[in-house]
Amino acid sequence: MLVTLDSNLRKPLYVQIRDQIRERIVTGGLKAGDRLEPSRELAHLLGVHRTTVGNAYADLEAEGLIQGTVGRGTFVTPLANTL
């Protein structure tokens, strides 16, 4: 998954991550059942702290767009396709 961050924006990094993933889900770039990168791996790729990605994932999970399961991963929910 391609996520680009701009530290010059007044928008927090976790919000940039959340918004870009949400946009991909809403536009169909990510579909129900698609697996997201583990937070640790995505954080490493983006050069941010794991908590930053965790906060983005937590917001998306609270919106019902993704669901994480310990040991399995984080996946786009079927609810996401109804948007």
Side-chain angles (χ1 to χ4, degrees), residues 6-69:
D6 184 349
S7 59
N8 294 320
L9 294 178
R10 290 185 160 245
K11 188 186 267 190
L13 296 176
Y14 86 94
V15 172
Q16 293 180 49
I17 296 167
R18 180 198 67 203
D19 290 352
Q20 288 180 51
I21 294 172
R22 182 191 299 123
E23 181 66 21
R24 287 213 174 79
I25 291 170
V26 170
T27 60
L30 288 170
K31 300 184 184 334
D34 284 351
R35 185 173 191 257
L36 301 181
E37 285 92 352
S39 59
R40 191 173 306 209
E41 183 179 316
L42 184 56
H44 177 73
L45 291 171
L46 297 174
V48 298
H49 194 277
R50 182 176 170 208
T51 302
T52 304
V53 175
N55 289 339
Y57 280 13
D59 280 2
L60 292 166
E61 191 161 10
E63 293 176 31
L65 296 175
I66 65 173
Q67 182 175 16
T69 305

